[in-house]
Each structure stands twice: as structure tokens, then as C-alpha cells.
Amino acid sequence: MKYVFTLLTFLGVQLASAQTELTLSLDQALDMATQKNVTMLNASLDIAYAETQVNEIKAQGLPQISGSTDFSHTFKIPTQIIPGDFVGQTGTTIATQFGVPFNINAGIGASQLLFDGSFFLGLKAASEFVNISKLSASASEIDIKEGVTKAYYMALISEQNLSQLNTSLENIKKLQSETEQLYNAGFAEKLDVDRLTLSVANLEININKLQNQAKLAKQLLLNSIGVDVNQEITLTSELPDEPVSDSNVSDFNPENRIEIKLLDQQQELNQLSLKRYKMGYVPSLYGNFSYGSSTFASDGDFDKLGDDWYGNGRYAVSLSVPIFDGFYKKAKMDQVKIDIEKTENTKRQAILGMNLQVAQAKTNYVNALKTIELQKKSQDLAERIYNTTSIKFKEGIGSSFEMINAESELTQAKTNYLNALYELNVAKIDLNKALGLL
């Protein structure tokens, strides 16, 4: 029974581990990041918050209805002084009390905004603020897409570099075994065996370091997606090959950049604010309605409270005409005009900076294309040198030192090519972002 329990526990752990393993293509990683990345989640909440602000302003234009009721006991009724003429006592005054000690009031009231120009412009401004929140969310999505893609490529390149080192290790171990056999047969020197043994040890050290780097690269990817970094992950996409030429480099249109769209949206808000303050000089019209009822009772007749009710009601229309506010609205309009001018300046400076960014990104991309071409040639040359050196060594006319160098140079050439391929793809991402195409 204990064995069965242990086996079931082991299987449960294995199933749990299998359930947490992720198999992701680049597109799946990007989709998951938009759903789980905290920045994107908060951006979605910002949009929802902005929409509630629109509803808040809308509420101000809807009927405002309220009800009320109260009970009061005036245990000491106020005394009033009236002329005695009312009761035929000319020249005297009489102290008297009006009212009864107990009463209940109940009523309902409603008010409605009939016209207020600043209200409708405020509603429009709130809607534009929702658009700003959506654009900000798009900007966050672009940044996340850039980060996840680069992290995915980094994890891929780490895996490929690790695979390359493992292949080199297999080749050196095989060569080591063959050299030991030759040494035992008297056809090789002990120095050749020792050199190959040292090369194997160095490769194993480098592989261990690269394994840690590959693990860290995957954790960085998981963190950028927004999931547990301790999950196992398998990457299914491949690093894109180098393009034939740089013909995909597009012309730059600043309107494609999300930053310019945000500035344009901000300028629209500034213009609406200016209009809203101007509308503050226009009269506002409100309507209101109320209806209520009251019941009363005297001392000793509290049980009669509520027997008789006396109604009251009114409706009214009020017009508010601004006459003089101490130049408050003028000061606010002057502030908005300054904001408008500052936003225009910011946009011009942003476009200048973006043109520089595009120029740098294009230069980096063209340089990356040239680098990948040179690294490809270096890799081909290293392969030819390795093949020739391998043949010479097997025929006994080459040394182990030459063989180790050829293997090392080939491994380095392949690593350099993979790194150049990664840099090319990163340069392409940066260029697309600079052009507003990401």
C-alpha cells in the first residue's frame, strides 16, 4: 500500500509538472503577453476608468431625483409677538404661539439641466480622454510586443548557441577517443591526448555557463509575458533568416507613430478646453420640480398624526447669466492657449527626434545586413578550414593543436553568425518601431 501511495504521488507530481510546461510560438507568446502582462492589464483598466468618467459626466445631464421624509417634535413652540389690533386691543401687543408640536413631512424633488454649453463640451472632452487611454494602451502594447519579441529571439539564440557547443563537444570527444586509440597503438603523442582532454573540459565549462544563460533568457521571456518565470517552456518558432537585401526599408511618415497620435489627441483636448471656457459666457438653463405632503398633531393627539395630509408642490425654470467673474475664465483661456502652443512645440521637437531615430535605426539595420553577410562568409571559410584540417589530422600529417584550433574557430564562426542574425532581427524590430510599423 505504501508503494502504491508513493507511486501515485510521483505520478501526480509528474502530471502537475507537465501541466505547467508551456509550448509557445512567437505569436502565442505575444497573444499571451497582451492578456497577462501587468502593464497591459492596467492599460485596459485605464480605458475602463476613462469610460466611467464619461458616464459620470453624462449623469450630470440626466434628471436628478431625490426623496425625503422627516419627523419633528417641537417640544417648545416659539412665541411670536403680534399687535393687539388683530383682536380688538388697540395699542397693545399679544404673545402667542403658532403651530403644533408634532409633524411629518414627505416629498420628492427633481431637477434637470436644460441647457449648458460647457456640459456638452465637457462630455465631448471626456470621450476624447477615452481615446487617449486607448492610444496609451496601444503604446504599451507596442512596447510589450517589442520586449517579448526580443526576449523570444534571445531565448532562441541561446538555445542554438548551446546546441552548437554541444555539437562541438561531441566532435572533440569523438576526436579524443580516436586519438587515445592512436596513442595506445603508438601512432600519436600523449600531448595530443592531453590537449584534446583540456579542450573537452573547457567546452564543458562553457556549456555549463551557456545553460545558465539560456535558462535566464527563458525566464526573461516569461517575465516579459507576465507568467511564472519558473515554468518550463518550449519555443516552437525559429529565428528569421536574413533578408536578401534592405529593400524593405520604408519611408518615414510621422503620423504612423503612436507618440504623434497621442500628441494630436492631447491637442484636441486642449481645443475642447478652450471652447468649454468660452461657453462659460453663455447662460445656463435649469428646471426643477418638487411635491410634498405634511401631517400634524397637537399635544395629546399624537395618535391622530397621519390622519390628515396637506399637499404642496411647485415647479420652476431658472436662468443663470454670467455677468462678471473677475476675469477668471479669461485667465483659464490664456492658460489653455499656452498649452496649445507648448503642445505644438513638443510635436515639432518629437518629429525631429523621430527623424534622427529613424536615421539611426536605418544605419544600424544596413550595418547589420553587412555584418551578417561577412559572418556568413567567415562561417563558410571556417567550415572549409575545419574539413581540410580534419582530413590532415586523420592522415597523420596534422597536429591536435591545429585540429583544436580549427574546431574552436568553426564554433566561434557559427556563434558569431547566430549572434549577427540575432542583431539583424533586433535591428529590424527597432527600425519597424521607429517607422511606426510595429
Side-chain angles (χ1 to χ4, degrees):
M1 179 63 70
K2 181 179 180 181
Y3 171 79
V4 173
F5 176 79
T6 303
L7 179 60
L8 290 175
T9 303
F10 173 78
L11 290 175
V13 171
Q14 294 299 313
L15 287 173
S17 300
Q19 289 173 352
T20 59
E21 183 174 357
L22 289 175
T23 301
L24 290 178
S25 66
L26 177 58
D27 289 338
Q28 289 172 330
L30 293 172
D31 289 340
M32 183 176 290
T34 58
Q35 300 172 11
K36 295 183 176 295
N37 186 279
V38 173
T39 302
M40 280 305 302
L41 294 176
N42 285 340
S44 298
L45 291 175
D46 287 339
I47 295 174
Y49 184 84
E51 289 174 343
T52 63
Q53 290 180 313
V54 174
N55 294 333
E56 178 185 357
I57 295 177
K58 282 182 179 178
Q60 299 175 14
L62 296 176
Q64 309 295 306
I65 303 174
S66 62
S68 64
T69 183
D70 67 84
F71 163 79
S72 66
H73 174 205
T74 307
F75 56 87
K76 184 68 175 179
I77 298 176
T79 299
Q80 303 289 332
I81 302 297
I82 63 174
D85 295 345
F86 286 104
V87 292
Q89 299 180 15
T90 304
T92 63
T93 58
I94 299 175
T96 186
Q97 295 175 323
F98 295 96
V100 293
F102 301 103
N103 77 290
I104 294 176
N105 299 307
I108 187 171
S111 62
Q112 173 65 53
L113 171 65
L114 300 178
F115 176 79
D116 188 338
S118 61
F119 162 76
F120 297 104
L121 286 172
L123 184 60
K124 174 65 175 174
S127 299
E128 294 298 331
F129 186 74
V130 174
N131 293 334
I132 284 185
S133 299
K134 291 179 179 179
L135 287 173
S136 297
S138 297
S140 298
E141 184 176 359
I142 290 172
D143 291 338
I144 291 169
K145 184 177 181 181
E146 175 193 14
V148 170
T149 303
K150 288 182 178 179
Y152 194 98
Y153 287 166
M154 176 59 74
L156 281 178
I157 209 70
S158 298
E159 284 186 342
Q160 293 185 32
N161 280 330
L162 183 59
S163 175
Q164 178 59 41
L165 280 185
N166 283 324
T167 301
S168 296
L169 180 61
E170 291 175 3
N171 292 337
I172 292 295
K173 282 185 174 180
K174 181 179 178 182
L175 186 59
Q176 179 192 27
S177 177
E178 293 173 351
T179 304
E180 285 180 347
Q181 293 176 9
L182 290 173
Y183 169 72
N184 293 332
F187 296 105
E189 298 181 1
K190 183 67 167 59
L191 180 61
D192 293 330
V193 177
D194 291 342
R195 282 174 175 168
L196 290 169
T197 302
L198 179 61
S199 181
V200 168
N202 289 334
L203 275 173
E204 287 177 341
I205 292 173
N206 290 334
I207 286 174
N208 182 62
K209 291 180 180 179
L210 196 54
Q211 284 175 338
N212 292 332
Q213 292 176 5
K215 180 180 179 181
L216 183 60
K218 287 186 176 180
Q219 289 178 331
L220 177 63
L221 171 61
L222 292 169
N223 182 68
S224 63
I225 292 174
V227 296
D228 183 9
V229 298
N230 294 316
Q231 285 187 328
E232 295 294 328
I233 182 173
T234 300
L235 308 180
T236 59
S237 296
E238 296 182 355
L239 196 65
D241 293 331
E242 70 271 19
V244 177
S245 67
D246 59 347
S247 59
N248 290 329
V249 177
S250 305
D251 293 331
F252 176 51
N253 180 7
E255 298 301 323
N256 290 334
R257 289 287 294 263
I258 192 69
E259 296 90 341
I260 297 300
K261 294 178 181 178
L262 277 166
L263 286 172
D264 288 341
Q265 194 66 52
Q266 180 60 51
Q267 195 68 301
E268 180 67 23
L269 272 178
N270 291 337
Q271 296 290 351
L272 286 172
S273 294
L274 183 61
K275 293 179 180 178
R276 181 166 62 88
Y277 287 121
K278 288 181 179 179
M279 288 298 296
Y281 293 105
V282 178
S284 301
L285 188 64
Y286 297 86
N288 57 76
F289 167 84
S290 64
Y291 180 81
S293 187
S294 303
T295 182
F296 307 92
S298 302
D299 284 330
D301 295 326
F302 184 80
D303 57 336
K304 294 182 179 180
L305 188 66
D307 290 350
D308 298 313
W309 289 86
Y310 304 91
N312 61 86
R314 66 182 289 273
Y315 66 87
V317 176
S318 61
L319 181 67
S320 175
V321 181
I323 297 176
F324 181 70
D325 61 0
F327 303 109
Y328 170 80
K329 286 188 284 293
K330 181 183 182 301
K332 298 299 290 186
M333 286 190 292
D334 289 341
Q335 293 173 19
V336 174
K337 289 176 183 178
I338 292 174
D339 287 337
I340 291 173
E341 188 173 353
K342 287 175 61 179
T343 303
E344 285 296 327
N345 293 338
T346 301
K347 182 178 178 179
R348 283 196 297 271
Q349 183 59 42
I351 292 176
L352 291 176
M354 289 172 187
N355 284 323
L356 177 60
Q357 184 182 8
V358 169
Q360 291 175 336
K362 286 183 177 181
T363 299
N364 292 339
Y365 181 64
V366 171
N367 289 339
L369 283 172
K370 294 178 180 178
T371 301
I372 195 71
E373 183 180 355
L374 293 174
Q375 292 296 348
K376 180 65 175 175
K377 292 179 180 179
S378 297
Q379 179 178 294
D380 294 340
L381 179 60
E383 287 178 349
R384 291 198 300 271
I385 293 174
Y386 175 81
N387 292 334
T388 302
T389 304
S390 179
I391 293 173
K392 289 175 62 180
F393 182 77
K394 290 178 181 179
E395 292 178 351
I397 58 176
S399 66
S400 60
F401 180 74
E402 292 176 338
M403 194 65 217
I404 292 171
N405 280 344
E407 177 70 35
S408 176
E409 289 172 354
L410 177 59
T411 301
Q412 188 61 49
K414 289 183 176 180
T415 299
N416 290 341
Y417 173 76
L418 288 175
N419 291 336
L421 185 58
Y422 169 76
E423 295 296 335
L424 176 62
N425 281 282
V426 168
K428 183 62 175 176
I429 293 172
D430 291 339
L431 178 58
N432 285 337
K433 184 180 181 181
L435 294 172
L437 304 177
L438 192 61

